[in-house]
Amino acid sequence: MSIAIDKSKCIGCGKCRNVCPGTLIKQDDDGKAYIKYPKDCWGCTSCIKECPVYAISFFLGADMGGRGSMVHTEKKDGLLRWVIESPTGNVTNIDIDPKESNKY
């Protein structure tokens, strides 16, 4: 499991670095985030949920049924949207209302 960080989108806020439980995310001289040891990523997705500019994606490997898809989150109008992009270009959105999920 691993994440991918798009440095062209990264704004250097450090939120991903601060929430990574494995302290695997570092910042380069320009303040851009990168993952130092991708193979050691636990796949907790904390960094993905914290990134305000959607610069981080999570690789959904075949072992997880993802067939190489990438997933990231977006926040809009109080919803958390999981965006799944397949290698073929298909995009699936899963919207979650955090207020509703706290009821269970």
Side-chain angles (χ1 to χ4, degrees):
M1 289 186 266
S2 189
I3 60 166
I5 301 173
D6 184 342
K7 283 188 171 189
S8 69
K9 293 182 182 178
C10 178
I11 59 172
C13 67
K15 290 181 178 183
C16 58
R17 184 196 68 220
N18 294 338
V19 298
C20 180
T23 61
L24 301 172
I25 299 176
K26 309 295 181 191
Q27 286 179 279
D28 64 17
D29 293 337
D30 294 328
K32 304 289 186 166
Y34 69 96
I35 184 162
K36 188 161 184 164
Y37 303 109
K39 66 177 180 62
D40 292 338
C41 177
W42 304 348
C44 73
T45 69
S46 293
C47 57
I48 295 169
K49 294 179 268 185
E50 286 298 314
C51 182
V53 294
Y54 323 124
I56 305 174
S57 295
F58 181 70
F59 178 72
L60 297 173
D63 59 329
M64 297 176 66
R67 299 186 200 116
S69 296
M70 298 293 285
V71 64
H72 71 271
T73 62
E74 298 177 2
K75 295 174 186 171
K76 184 176 181 184
D77 300 327
L79 297 176
L80 178 65
R81 172 174 283 169
W82 290 86
V83 180
I84 304 165
E85 300 176 48
S86 76
T88 61
N90 293 331
V91 177
T92 302
N93 295 318
I94 302 170
D95 291 331
I96 298 171
D97 184 342
K99 295 176 202 155
E100 291 294 318
S101 65
N102 288 335
K103 292 181 179 179
Y104 302 104

